[in-house]
Amino acid sequence: MPGLDEIYEQYRGELFRYLLRLTGSAAQAEDLVSETFLKALQNLHTLKKEEALKAWLFSVARHAWLDWLRARRETVELSDLLGLYLADEAPTRAESRALLARVEQLLQQKTPRDQAVFRLRLQGYAFSEIGRALGFSESAARVVDHRLRRWLNEQIKEGEL
């Protein structure tokens, strides 16, 4: 296995260009390259095959970028997220608050698993992350989310009549 200096010299440019395309910022790409090599140094012992080094480094870089994206998420009101989650268009703030109260009431009728999927999805987690966190597959998380969203929409429409 080549030394870290050799690995750095060989892959720094490619990683920088890759992260620059993802972030759109040279400064951020440089920070993420540094973070990538720091994580690589800490986890080099987990690399199984030396031939997989490049793919592994790019995987580490992608995860560093995803962590950066998660960290820079702006805080949004739960009621605003709820409106975007359920509807095609965002409701007014007053409508959002009333909708949030109604949905909270309706969710009490559902299982803790359904409630957890709803809350995690509302916070922006991917279905794969939700499945891992709750101990089932990504497709199961998608099905629960779809059925719950459909049920909530039906219940809300019935309440409007």
Side-chain angles (χ1 to χ4, degrees):
M1 168 92 51
L4 192 60
D5 290 341
E6 292 174 51
I7 295 171
Y8 181 82
E9 288 302 318
Q10 185 173 357
Y11 295 109
R12 189 196 80 70
E14 285 183 74
L15 287 168
F16 175 79
R17 287 186 294 279
Y18 171 69
L19 291 165
L20 180 60
R21 281 194 310 275
L22 292 175
T23 64
S25 162
Q28 189 58 51
E30 196 61 53
D31 286 349
L32 289 174
V33 166
S34 298
E35 190 174 326
T36 297
F37 279 102
L38 180 62
K39 287 180 180 182
L41 178 62
Q42 293 168 343
N43 297 298
L44 197 55
H45 65 278
T46 65
L47 182 62
K48 304 282 190 259
K49 297 180 183 176
E50 187 177 326
E51 301 85 40
L53 177 63
K54 182 177 179 179
W56 181 73
L57 280 173
F58 275 82
S59 176
V60 171
R62 183 173 52 85
H63 283 94
W65 171 68
L66 289 170
D67 290 344
W68 172 73
L69 283 177
R70 285 185 191 102
R72 68 185 280 253
R73 274 192 193 148
E74 294 182 15
T75 316
V76 180
E77 293 264 339
L78 180 62
S79 57
D80 293 337
L81 286 173
L82 179 64
L84 294 173
Y85 178 81
L86 291 173
D88 292 331
E89 56 189 58
T92 66
R93 186 165 296 284
E95 290 170 333
S96 292
R97 289 207 169 104
L99 183 60
L100 177 60
R102 177 74 176 127
V103 167
E104 288 291 341
Q105 180 184 39
L106 289 168
L107 282 174
Q108 296 306 310
Q109 300 173 32
K110 301 310 268 180
T111 66
R113 180 191 74 161
D114 290 355
Q115 292 176 28
V117 168
F118 175 82
R119 293 187 194 296
L120 290 170
R121 190 68 185 143
L122 196 59
Q123 293 172 14
Y125 286 92
F127 290 112
S128 59
E129 294 171 312
I130 294 169
R132 272 195 307 274
L134 299 178
F136 49 83
S137 70
E138 175 182 342
S139 57
R142 286 180 185 277
V143 168
V144 169
D145 177 72
H146 174 74
R147 289 178 180 165
L148 183 60
R149 189 185 306 224
R150 187 179 63 213
W151 180 80
L152 284 169
N153 277 316
E154 288 169 1
Q155 296 300 309
I156 290 167
K157 284 181 180 152
E158 281 179 21
E160 291 174 355
L161 298 177

